[in-house]
Protein backbone atom coordinates (compact mmCIF):
# COMPACT_ATOMS: atom_id res chain seq x y z
CA UNK A 1 0.00 0.00 0.00
CA UNK A 2 1.20 3.46 -0.83
CA UNK A 3 2.03 5.71 2.08
CA UNK A 4 0.57 8.76 0.40
CA UNK A 5 -2.07 8.47 -2.28
CA UNK A 6 -3.35 11.45 -4.18
CA UNK A 7 -6.24 10.69 -6.49
CA UNK A 8 -8.23 12.68 -9.03
CA UNK A 9 -7.33 16.14 -7.72
CA UNK A 10 -9.04 18.96 -9.58
CA UNK A 11 -8.46 22.48 -8.38
CA UNK A 12 -9.20 25.99 -9.59
CA UNK A 13 -8.51 29.44 -8.14
CA UNK A 14 -11.91 31.08 -8.53
CA UNK A 15 -12.25 30.91 -12.34
CA UNK A 16 -8.77 29.73 -13.40
CA UNK A 17 -8.49 25.92 -13.44
CA UNK A 18 -4.96 24.93 -12.35
CA UNK A 19 -5.06 21.15 -11.78
CA UNK A 20 -7.19 18.58 -13.53
CA UNK A 21 -7.50 14.98 -12.36
CA UNK A 22 -4.01 14.69 -10.86
CA UNK A 23 -3.21 11.34 -9.27
CA UNK A 24 0.03 10.02 -7.83
CA UNK A 25 1.35 7.59 -5.27
CA UNK A 26 4.28 7.75 -2.91
CA UNK A 27 5.57 4.54 -1.34
CA UNK A 28 7.62 4.20 1.82
CA UNK A 29 11.20 5.57 1.61
CA UNK A 30 10.60 6.68 -1.92
CA UNK A 31 11.64 9.95 -3.46
CA UNK A 32 9.29 11.06 -6.20
CA UNK A 33 9.82 14.30 -8.02
CA UNK A 34 7.28 16.41 -9.82
CA UNK A 35 8.77 18.04 -12.84
CA UNK A 36 7.05 20.79 -14.76
CA UNK A 37 7.40 24.23 -16.27
CA UNK A 38 7.00 27.36 -14.20
CA UNK A 39 3.36 28.14 -13.48
CA UNK A 40 1.96 24.69 -14.29
CA UNK A 41 0.53 24.28 -10.79
CA UNK A 42 3.20 22.39 -8.83
CA UNK A 43 3.02 24.61 -5.77
CA UNK A 44 -0.76 24.57 -5.95
CA UNK A 45 -0.71 20.77 -5.92
CA UNK A 46 1.45 20.82 -2.78
CA UNK A 47 -0.87 23.30 -1.09
CA UNK A 48 -3.71 20.88 -1.79
CA UNK A 49 -1.76 17.87 -0.48
CA UNK A 50 -0.74 19.82 2.63
CA UNK A 51 -4.39 20.64 3.26
CA UNK A 52 -4.01 24.40 2.79
CA UNK A 53 -6.37 24.39 -0.21
CA UNK A 54 -9.49 22.25 -0.52
CA UNK A 55 -9.69 20.62 -3.94
CA UNK A 56 -12.95 20.81 -5.87
CA UNK A 57 -12.57 17.10 -6.57
CA UNK A 58 -10.32 14.29 -5.46
CA UNK A 59 -8.82 12.88 -2.31
CA UNK A 60 -5.55 12.92 -0.37
CA UNK A 61 -5.02 9.74 1.65
CA UNK A 62 -2.16 9.29 4.11
CA UNK A 63 -1.63 5.76 5.46
CA UNK A 64 -5.22 4.90 4.64
CA UNK A 65 -6.63 8.00 6.33
CA UNK A 66 -8.47 10.66 4.30
CA UNK A 67 -6.76 13.96 5.08
CA UNK A 68 -8.18 16.09 2.25
CA UNK A 69 -8.28 19.71 3.38
CA UNK A 70 -6.79 18.97 6.83
CA UNK A 71 -3.53 20.81 7.45
CA UNK A 72 -1.07 19.67 10.10
CA UNK A 73 -0.53 16.09 8.86
CA UNK A 74 2.36 16.30 6.39
CA UNK A 75 5.70 18.11 6.57
CA UNK A 76 5.81 20.89 4.03
CA UNK A 77 8.86 22.91 3.07
CA UNK A 78 7.87 25.85 0.94
CA UNK A 79 9.59 27.45 -2.00
CA UNK A 80 11.14 30.16 0.23
CA UNK A 81 12.97 29.06 3.39
CA UNK A 82 10.57 31.15 5.52
CA UNK A 83 12.77 31.04 8.59
CA UNK A 84 11.39 33.51 11.12
CA UNK A 85 13.96 36.34 11.27
CA UNK A 86 13.34 37.02 14.94
CA UNK A 87 14.00 33.49 16.18
CA UNK A 88 17.38 31.83 16.43
CA UNK A 89 18.04 28.85 14.16
CA UNK A 90 17.47 26.51 17.08
CA UNK A 91 14.15 28.14 17.95
CA UNK A 92 13.12 28.10 14.29
CA UNK A 93 13.85 24.40 14.03
CA UNK A 94 11.84 23.48 17.13
CA UNK A 95 8.83 25.53 16.03
CA UNK A 96 6.79 22.50 14.87
CA UNK A 97 7.39 20.83 18.24
CA UNK A 98 6.30 23.96 20.12
CA UNK A 99 3.16 24.11 18.00
CA UNK A 100 2.38 20.55 19.05
CA UNK A 101 2.56 21.71 22.66
CA UNK A 102 6.00 20.46 23.65
CA UNK A 103 8.09 22.30 26.22
CA UNK A 104 10.84 24.52 24.85
CA UNK A 105 13.60 22.79 26.80
CA UNK A 106 12.65 19.28 25.73
CA UNK A 107 12.15 20.38 22.14
CA UNK A 108 15.63 21.93 22.07
CA UNK A 109 17.12 18.73 23.43
CA UNK A 110 15.38 16.68 20.77
CA UNK A 111 16.50 18.99 17.97
CA UNK A 112 20.10 19.19 19.18
CA UNK A 113 20.60 15.55 18.15
CA UNK A 114 20.19 16.48 14.50
CA UNK A 115 22.24 19.63 14.15
CA UNK A 116 25.38 17.76 13.33
CA UNK A 117 23.72 15.40 10.91
CA UNK A 118 22.27 18.34 9.02
CA UNK A 119 25.63 20.14 8.97
CA UNK A 120 24.34 22.90 11.19
CA UNK A 121 26.54 22.58 14.26
CA UNK A 122 27.44 25.93 15.77
CA UNK A 123 24.46 27.76 14.27
CA UNK A 124 22.02 27.11 17.13
CA UNK A 125 22.21 30.61 18.60
CA UNK A 126 22.53 32.47 15.30
CA UNK A 127 19.77 34.36 13.56
CA UNK A 128 18.73 33.34 10.02
CA UNK A 129 20.17 36.46 8.40
CA UNK A 130 23.61 35.52 9.70
CA UNK A 131 23.56 32.30 7.65
CA UNK A 132 24.34 31.63 4.01
CA UNK A 133 21.61 30.54 1.61
CA UNK A 134 22.70 26.90 1.73
CA UNK A 135 22.72 26.83 5.52
CA UNK A 136 19.31 28.46 5.72
CA UNK A 137 17.98 25.80 3.38
CA UNK A 138 19.39 23.08 5.62
CA UNK A 139 17.81 24.71 8.65
CA UNK A 140 14.45 24.88 6.87
CA UNK A 141 14.86 21.22 5.92
CA UNK A 142 15.62 20.25 9.51
CA UNK A 143 12.54 22.14 10.66
CA UNK A 144 10.49 20.19 8.10
CA UNK A 145 12.00 16.97 9.38
CA UNK A 146 11.24 17.88 13.01
CA UNK A 147 7.57 18.14 12.14
CA UNK A 148 7.23 14.55 11.00
CA UNK A 149 9.44 11.78 9.67
CA UNK A 150 6.78 10.17 7.54
CA UNK A 151 6.13 12.16 4.41
CA UNK A 152 7.72 15.43 3.36
CA UNK A 153 6.74 17.80 0.60
CA UNK A 154 9.71 19.81 -0.63
CA UNK A 155 8.97 22.69 -3.00
CA UNK A 156 12.10 23.45 -5.05
CA UNK A 157 14.32 23.26 -1.97
CA UNK A 158 17.52 23.94 -3.88
CA UNK A 159 16.40 26.18 -6.73
CA UNK A 160 17.55 29.41 -5.10
CA UNK A 161 21.12 28.17 -4.74
CA UNK A 162 24.02 28.68 -7.15
CA UNK A 163 25.21 25.65 -9.15
CA UNK A 164 28.16 24.78 -6.93
CA UNK A 165 26.24 25.01 -3.66
CA UNK A 166 23.44 23.10 -5.32
CA UNK A 167 25.51 20.07 -6.27
CA UNK A 168 27.06 20.08 -2.81
CA UNK A 169 23.55 20.12 -1.33
CA UNK A 170 22.49 17.24 -3.61
CA UNK A 171 25.33 15.08 -2.36
CA UNK A 172 24.55 16.01 1.21
CA UNK A 173 20.85 15.40 0.72
CA UNK A 174 21.33 11.93 -0.77
CA UNK A 175 23.55 11.17 2.23
CA UNK A 176 21.00 12.31 4.75
CA UNK A 177 18.20 10.55 2.90
CA UNK A 178 20.02 7.25 3.25
CA UNK A 179 20.14 7.79 7.00
CA UNK A 180 16.71 9.17 7.80
CA UNK A 181 14.53 7.21 5.37
CA UNK A 182 11.89 9.79 4.78
CA UNK A 183 9.37 9.47 1.97
CA UNK A 184 9.63 12.58 -0.10
CA UNK A 185 7.63 14.35 -2.78
CA UNK A 186 9.88 16.83 -4.45
CA UNK A 187 9.16 19.70 -6.82
CA UNK A 188 11.73 20.86 -9.30
CA UNK A 189 12.04 22.30 -12.76
CA UNK A 190 15.64 21.17 -13.02
CA UNK A 191 15.73 17.94 -15.07
CA UNK A 192 19.23 16.91 -13.94
CA UNK A 193 18.28 17.35 -10.32
CA UNK A 194 15.16 15.23 -10.81
CA UNK A 195 17.05 12.33 -12.41
CA UNK A 196 19.86 12.50 -9.88
CA UNK A 197 17.67 12.40 -6.81
CA UNK A 198 14.44 10.56 -7.65
CA UNK A 199 13.17 7.01 -7.74
CA UNK A 200 10.36 8.15 -9.98
CA UNK A 201 9.60 11.32 -11.89
CA UNK A 202 6.08 12.57 -12.58
CA UNK A 203 5.77 15.04 -15.42
CA UNK A 204 3.14 17.69 -14.79
CA UNK A 205 2.17 19.46 -18.01
CA UNK A 206 -0.60 21.39 -19.67
CA UNK A 207 -3.06 24.01 -18.60
CA UNK A 208 -4.79 22.95 -16.40
CA UNK A 209 -1.95 20.67 -15.31
CA UNK A 210 -2.13 16.90 -15.22
CA UNK A 211 0.37 14.10 -14.73
CA UNK A 212 1.12 12.96 -18.28
CA UNK A 213 4.01 10.61 -17.74
CA UNK A 214 5.78 8.69 -15.04
CA UNK A 215 9.42 7.75 -15.45
CA UNK A 216 11.15 5.24 -13.18
CA UNK A 217 14.86 5.84 -12.54
CA UNK A 218 16.30 2.35 -12.06
CA UNK A 219 19.76 3.42 -10.89
CA UNK A 220 20.26 1.89 -7.41
CA UNK A 221 21.06 3.93 -4.28
CA UNK A 222 23.36 5.25 -3.02
CA UNK A 223 24.06 6.91 -6.34
CA UNK A 224 27.57 7.77 -7.38
CA UNK A 225 28.58 11.31 -8.00
CA UNK A 226 29.43 10.41 -11.61
CA UNK A 227 25.91 9.15 -12.31
CA UNK A 228 25.04 12.35 -14.15
CA UNK A 229 27.88 11.74 -16.61
CA UNK A 230 26.75 8.25 -17.64
CA UNK A 231 24.99 7.12 -20.81
CA UNK A 232 21.90 6.03 -18.84
CA UNK A 233 21.56 9.47 -17.33
CA UNK A 234 21.57 11.07 -20.77
CA UNK A 235 19.03 8.53 -21.98
CA UNK A 236 16.66 9.47 -19.16
CA UNK A 237 17.18 13.13 -19.92
CA UNK A 238 16.44 12.60 -23.60
CA UNK A 239 13.21 10.81 -22.75
CA UNK A 240 12.06 13.58 -20.45
CA UNK A 241 12.89 16.35 -22.87
CA UNK A 242 10.86 14.58 -25.56
CA UNK A 243 7.81 14.43 -23.32
CA UNK A 244 7.86 17.93 -21.90
CA UNK B 1 39.18 53.30 12.74
CA UNK B 2 37.87 55.71 10.16
CA UNK B 3 34.34 54.57 10.95
CA UNK B 4 34.89 55.19 14.65
CA UNK B 5 36.15 58.67 13.89
CA UNK B 6 33.12 59.42 11.77
CA UNK B 7 30.95 58.10 14.58
CA UNK B 8 32.49 60.51 17.05
CA UNK B 9 32.17 63.48 14.71
CA UNK B 10 28.57 62.65 13.97
CA UNK B 11 27.87 62.63 17.69
CA UNK B 12 29.82 65.83 18.34
CA UNK B 13 28.07 67.76 15.60
CA UNK B 14 24.67 68.27 17.27
CA UNK B 15 26.34 69.03 20.61
CA UNK B 16 28.45 71.73 18.96
CA UNK B 17 25.38 73.18 17.26
CA UNK B 18 23.49 73.42 20.55
CA UNK B 19 26.47 74.99 22.35
CA UNK B 20 26.89 77.51 19.55
CA UNK B 21 23.22 78.45 19.71
CA UNK B 22 23.44 78.94 23.48
CA UNK B 23 26.56 81.09 23.05
CA UNK B 24 24.85 83.34 20.49
CA UNK B 25 21.79 83.61 22.73
CA UNK B 26 23.91 84.49 25.78
CA UNK B 27 25.91 87.10 23.87
CA UNK B 28 22.77 88.67 22.44
CA UNK B 29 21.25 88.99 25.92
CA UNK B 30 24.48 90.27 27.52
CA UNK B 31 24.91 92.87 24.78
CA UNK B 32 21.41 94.12 25.50
CA UNK B 33 20.09 93.31 22.01
CA UNK B 34 17.07 91.62 23.60
CA UNK B 35 15.39 92.94 26.69
CA UNK B 36 15.80 90.61 29.66
CA UNK B 37 12.08 90.92 30.27
CA UNK B 38 11.17 89.27 26.96
CA UNK B 39 13.89 86.65 26.79
CA UNK B 40 16.05 85.64 29.75
CA UNK B 41 19.64 84.67 29.04
CA UNK B 42 20.67 81.01 29.27
CA UNK B 43 22.61 81.75 32.44
CA UNK B 44 19.53 83.24 34.09
CA UNK B 45 17.53 80.18 33.05
CA UNK B 46 20.16 77.87 34.52
CA UNK B 47 20.17 79.85 37.75
CA UNK B 48 16.39 79.74 37.97
CA UNK B 49 16.58 75.99 37.43
CA UNK B 50 19.06 75.55 40.26
CA UNK B 51 17.14 77.82 42.62
CA UNK B 52 13.79 76.11 42.03
CA UNK B 53 15.27 72.65 41.69
CA UNK B 54 13.47 71.01 44.67
CA UNK B 55 10.15 72.55 43.65
CA UNK B 56 10.64 71.50 40.02
CA UNK B 57 11.43 67.94 41.08
CA UNK B 58 8.36 67.71 43.30
CA UNK B 59 6.19 68.87 40.44
CA UNK B 60 7.96 66.65 37.92
CA UNK B 61 7.23 63.63 40.10
CA UNK B 62 3.50 64.30 39.87
CA UNK B 63 3.59 64.88 36.11
CA UNK B 64 5.68 61.78 35.50
CA UNK B 65 3.36 59.64 37.60
CA UNK B 66 0.36 60.83 35.58
CA UNK B 67 2.24 60.29 32.32
CA UNK B 68 3.28 56.76 33.32
CA UNK B 69 -0.15 55.62 34.47
CA UNK B 70 -1.77 57.18 31.41
CA UNK B 71 0.80 55.65 29.06
CA UNK B 72 0.54 52.21 30.64
CA UNK B 73 -3.25 52.20 30.36
CA UNK B 74 -3.01 53.73 26.88
CA UNK B 75 -0.65 51.01 25.65
CA UNK B 76 -2.83 48.31 27.15
CA UNK B 77 -5.99 49.75 25.61
CA UNK B 78 -4.19 50.26 22.28
CA UNK B 79 -2.90 46.69 22.29
CA UNK B 80 -6.23 45.09 23.16
CA UNK B 81 -8.09 47.21 20.58
CA UNK B 82 -5.59 46.29 17.89
CA UNK B 83 -5.78 42.56 18.66
CA UNK B 84 -9.58 42.56 18.72
CA UNK B 85 -9.80 44.58 15.53
CA UNK B 86 -7.36 42.22 13.85
CA UNK B 87 -9.39 39.18 14.92
CA UNK B 88 -12.80 40.50 13.96
CA UNK B 89 -13.09 42.31 10.67
CA UNK B 90 -16.58 43.63 11.44
CA UNK B 91 -15.19 45.25 14.57
CA UNK B 92 -12.44 46.85 12.50
CA UNK B 93 -14.92 48.33 10.09
CA UNK B 94 -17.26 49.49 12.86
CA UNK B 95 -14.71 50.95 15.27
CA UNK B 96 -11.87 52.28 13.13
CA UNK B 97 -13.67 55.48 12.00
CA UNK B 98 -14.67 56.13 15.61
CA UNK B 99 -11.08 55.85 16.76
CA UNK B 100 -9.92 58.24 14.07
CA UNK B 101 -12.65 60.62 15.23
CA UNK B 102 -11.27 60.68 18.77
CA UNK B 103 -8.03 62.00 17.29
CA UNK B 104 -9.62 64.89 15.43
CA UNK B 105 -10.93 66.42 18.66
CA UNK B 106 -8.31 68.89 19.95
CA UNK B 107 -6.84 67.93 23.29
CA UNK B 108 -7.14 71.45 24.65
CA UNK B 109 -10.87 71.37 23.97
CA UNK B 110 -11.70 68.17 25.81
CA UNK B 111 -9.39 68.76 28.78
CA UNK B 112 -11.69 71.32 30.47
CA UNK B 113 -14.66 68.99 29.92
CA UNK B 114 -12.77 66.15 31.56
CA UNK B 115 -11.97 68.45 34.50
CA UNK B 116 -15.64 69.36 34.73
CA UNK B 117 -16.70 65.73 34.77
CA UNK B 118 -13.94 64.15 36.83
CA UNK B 119 -12.60 66.95 39.04
CA UNK B 120 -9.12 68.32 39.69
CA UNK B 121 -7.44 65.09 40.78
CA UNK B 122 -5.50 62.59 38.73
CA UNK B 123 -8.33 60.82 36.93
CA UNK B 124 -9.15 63.39 34.20
CA UNK B 125 -5.44 63.77 33.41
CA UNK B 126 -4.94 60.04 33.05
CA UNK B 127 -8.01 59.78 30.84
CA UNK B 128 -6.70 62.52 28.58
CA UNK B 129 -3.31 60.82 28.28
CA UNK B 130 -4.96 57.49 27.47
CA UNK B 131 -6.93 59.18 24.70
CA UNK B 132 -3.82 60.67 23.10
CA UNK B 133 -1.48 57.70 23.56
CA UNK B 134 -3.55 54.67 22.57
CA UNK B 135 -4.12 55.82 19.01
CA UNK B 136 -0.58 55.57 17.62
CA UNK B 137 -0.21 52.19 19.33
CA UNK B 138 -3.44 50.79 17.87
CA UNK B 139 -2.80 52.01 14.35
CA UNK B 140 0.78 50.81 14.09
CA UNK B 141 0.08 47.45 15.72
CA UNK B 142 -2.84 46.90 13.35
CA UNK B 143 -0.64 47.71 10.38
CA UNK B 144 2.04 45.41 11.76
CA UNK B 145 -0.40 42.53 12.21
CA UNK B 146 -1.86 42.99 8.75
CA UNK B 147 1.55 43.16 7.12
CA UNK B 148 2.47 39.68 8.35
CA UNK B 149 3.82 37.47 5.59
CA UNK B 150 1.05 35.29 4.14
CA UNK B 151 3.45 32.51 3.14
CA UNK B 152 4.73 32.28 6.70
CA UNK B 153 1.15 32.10 7.95
CA UNK B 154 0.49 29.28 5.43
CA UNK B 155 3.60 27.47 6.62
CA UNK B 156 2.42 27.58 10.23
CA UNK B 157 -1.05 26.46 9.17
CA UNK B 158 0.53 23.50 7.38
CA UNK B 159 2.13 22.63 10.71
CA UNK B 160 -1.32 22.60 12.28
CA UNK B 161 -0.98 25.93 14.12
CA UNK B 162 -4.08 27.46 15.66
CA UNK B 163 -5.08 31.10 15.20
CA UNK B 164 -3.64 32.08 18.56
CA UNK B 165 -0.38 30.26 17.80
CA UNK B 166 -0.10 32.11 14.49
CA UNK B 167 -0.60 35.34 16.43
CA UNK B 168 2.02 34.44 18.99
CA UNK B 169 4.70 33.18 16.62
CA UNK B 170 4.18 35.30 13.51
CA UNK B 171 1.95 38.34 13.88
CA UNK B 172 3.05 39.61 17.28
CA UNK B 173 6.85 39.39 16.83
CA UNK B 174 6.46 40.78 13.31
CA UNK B 175 4.69 43.88 14.67
CA UNK B 176 7.23 44.62 17.41
CA UNK B 177 9.24 47.09 15.32
CA UNK B 178 6.12 49.09 14.49
CA UNK B 179 5.07 48.91 18.13
CA UNK B 180 8.27 50.52 19.38
CA UNK B 181 8.13 53.22 16.72
CA UNK B 182 4.67 54.16 17.96
CA UNK B 183 5.69 53.85 21.60
CA UNK B 184 8.30 56.55 21.02
CA UNK B 185 5.56 58.86 19.76
CA UNK B 186 3.19 57.94 22.57
CA UNK B 187 5.80 58.59 25.25
CA UNK B 188 6.23 62.20 24.19
CA UNK B 189 2.46 62.59 23.77
CA UNK B 190 2.05 61.33 27.34
CA UNK B 191 4.35 63.98 28.83
CA UNK B 192 2.88 66.80 26.79
CA UNK B 193 -0.64 65.54 27.50
CA UNK B 194 0.04 65.55 31.22
CA UNK B 195 1.33 69.13 31.12
CA UNK B 196 -1.62 70.38 29.07
CA UNK B 197 -4.15 68.76 31.36
CA UNK B 198 -2.43 70.37 34.35
CA UNK B 199 -2.68 73.79 32.76
CA UNK B 200 -6.42 73.48 32.79
CA UNK B 201 -6.88 72.41 36.36
CA UNK B 202 -4.87 70.82 39.11
CA UNK B 203 -2.91 71.39 42.28
CA UNK B 204 0.51 69.97 41.44
CA UNK B 205 2.66 69.16 38.44
CA UNK B 206 4.88 70.93 35.93
CA UNK B 207 1.84 72.31 34.08
CA UNK B 208 0.58 73.95 37.27
CA UNK B 209 4.05 75.31 37.99
CA UNK B 210 4.11 76.71 34.46
CA UNK B 211 0.82 78.58 34.86
CA UNK B 212 1.99 79.92 38.17
CA UNK B 213 5.33 81.32 36.93
CA UNK B 214 3.61 82.71 33.85
CA UNK B 215 1.23 84.70 36.02
CA UNK B 216 4.25 86.01 37.98
CA UNK B 217 6.00 86.94 34.70
CA UNK B 218 9.09 84.91 35.75
CA UNK B 219 10.20 84.02 32.26
CA UNK B 220 13.49 82.59 33.47
CA UNK B 221 11.55 79.95 35.43
CA UNK B 222 9.23 79.47 32.48
CA UNK B 223 12.18 78.57 30.28
CA UNK B 224 13.67 76.37 32.98
CA UNK B 225 10.51 74.25 33.12
CA UNK B 226 10.23 74.12 29.32
CA UNK B 227 13.76 72.74 29.10
CA UNK B 228 13.02 70.28 31.88
CA UNK B 229 9.97 68.95 30.03
CA UNK B 230 11.99 68.51 26.81
CA UNK B 231 14.71 66.75 28.73
CA UNK B 232 12.20 64.36 30.29
CA UNK B 233 10.69 63.53 26.88
CA UNK B 234 14.12 62.96 25.36
CA UNK B 235 15.15 60.74 28.25
CA UNK B 236 11.98 58.64 27.92
CA UNK B 237 12.45 58.22 24.17
CA UNK B 238 16.00 57.08 24.79
CA UNK B 239 14.65 54.60 27.36
CA UNK B 240 12.26 53.23 24.72
CA UNK B 241 15.22 52.77 22.37
CA UNK B 242 17.06 50.79 25.02
CA UNK B 243 13.98 48.69 25.68
CA UNK B 244 13.67 48.02 21.95
CA UNK B 245 17.27 46.95 21.65
CA UNK B 246 16.85 44.54 24.54
CA UNK B 247 13.63 43.00 23.31
CA UNK B 248 14.64 42.75 19.63
CA UNK B 249 18.15 41.28 19.79
CA UNK B 250 17.92 40.00 16.20
CA UNK B 251 18.00 43.58 14.91
CA UNK B 252 21.51 44.09 16.31
CA UNK B 253 24.27 44.55 13.76
CA UNK B 254 26.17 41.40 12.84
CA UNK B 255 29.26 41.51 14.93
N1 LIG C 1 -3.51 32.54 -4.87
C1 LIG C 1 -3.70 32.45 -6.21
N2 LIG C 1 -4.80 32.99 -6.77
C2 LIG C 1 -5.00 32.91 -8.10
N3 LIG C 1 -4.17 32.29 -8.96
C3 LIG C 1 -3.05 31.73 -8.47
C4 LIG C 1 -2.75 31.78 -7.06
N4 LIG C 1 -1.58 31.15 -6.85
C5 LIG C 1 -1.17 30.73 -8.06
N5 LIG C 1 -2.04 31.07 -9.04
C6 LIG C 1 -1.92 30.72 -10.46
O1 LIG C 1 -1.95 29.33 -10.55
C7 LIG C 1 -1.00 28.87 -11.51
C8 LIG C 1 -0.09 27.84 -10.90
O2 LIG C 1 0.70 28.45 -9.88
P1 LIG C 1 1.76 27.63 -9.04
O3 LIG C 1 2.34 28.56 -8.05
O4 LIG C 1 1.12 26.40 -8.52
O5 LIG C 1 2.84 27.25 -10.16
P2 LIG C 1 4.23 26.49 -10.01
O6 LIG C 1 4.18 25.32 -10.90
O7 LIG C 1 4.54 26.25 -8.58
O8 LIG C 1 5.24 27.57 -10.62
P3 LIG C 1 6.76 27.87 -10.20
O9 LIG C 1 7.61 26.82 -10.82
O10 LIG C 1 7.02 29.22 -10.81
O11 LIG C 1 6.82 27.91 -8.71
C9 LIG C 1 -0.26 30.11 -12.01
O12 LIG C 1 -0.75 30.43 -13.28
C10 LIG C 1 -0.59 31.17 -11.03
O13 LIG C 1 -0.71 32.43 -11.66
MG1 LIG D 1 6.00 26.93 -7.27
Amino acid sequence: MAELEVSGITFAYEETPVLSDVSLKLHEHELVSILGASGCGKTTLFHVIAGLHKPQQGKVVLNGRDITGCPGQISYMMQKDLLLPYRTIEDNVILPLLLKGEKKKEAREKASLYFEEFGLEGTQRKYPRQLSGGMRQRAALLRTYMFSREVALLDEPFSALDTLTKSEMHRWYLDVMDKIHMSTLFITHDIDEAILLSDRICLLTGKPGRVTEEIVIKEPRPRKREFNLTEEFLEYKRRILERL
Amino acid sequence: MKRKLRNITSRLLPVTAVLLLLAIWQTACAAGLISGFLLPSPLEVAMAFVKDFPLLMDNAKVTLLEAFIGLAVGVLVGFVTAVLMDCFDWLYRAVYPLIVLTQTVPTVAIAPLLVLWFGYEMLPKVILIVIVTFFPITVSLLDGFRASDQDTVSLLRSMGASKSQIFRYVKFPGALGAFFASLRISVSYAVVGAVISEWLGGFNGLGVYMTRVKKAFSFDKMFAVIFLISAISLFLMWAVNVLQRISMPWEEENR
Side-chain angles (χ1 to χ4, degrees), chain A residues 50 53 67 146 171:
Chain A
H53 291 333
I67 58 158
M146 293 310 291
R171 236 171 297 140

Side-chain angles (χ1 to χ4, degrees), chain A residues 20-58:
Chain A
S20 132
D21 196 21
V22 173
S23 303
L24 51 88
K25 282 180 185 165
L26 179 70
H27 300 100
E28 233 179 320
H29 305 334
E30 221 182 6
L31 201 158
V32 173
S33 60
I34 294 166
L35 190 61
S38 198
C40 71
K42 304 182 296 288
T43 299
T44 307
L45 175 62
F46 269 24
H47 269 56
V48 170
I49 297 175
L52 296 174
H53 291 333
K54 261 210 174 74
Q56 276 82 35
Q57 272 169 45

Side-chain angles (χ1 to χ4, degrees), chain B residues 195-252:
Chain B
V195 171
I196 290 180
S197 64
E198 284 164 359
W199 282 351
L200 299 162
F203 306 116
N204 293 301
L206 292 176
V208 176
Y209 177 91
M210 239 172 163
T211 8
R212 224 180 281 143
V213 296
K214 195 183 93 192
K215 279 187 188 138
F217 295 104
S218 329
F219 285 134
D220 49 349
K221 290 182 183 172
M222 187 74 175
F223 271 91
V225 69
I226 289 175
F227 280 124
L228 180 61
I229 292 169
S230 300
I232 289 174
S233 288
L234 278 179
F235 171 76
L236 290 178
M237 280 194 228
W238 171 81
V240 172
N241 274 344
V242 172
L243 194 66
Q244 176 170 21
R245 231 172 298 143
I246 292 170
S247 45
M248 301 174 72
W250 58 91
E251 293 277 325
E252 284 284 281

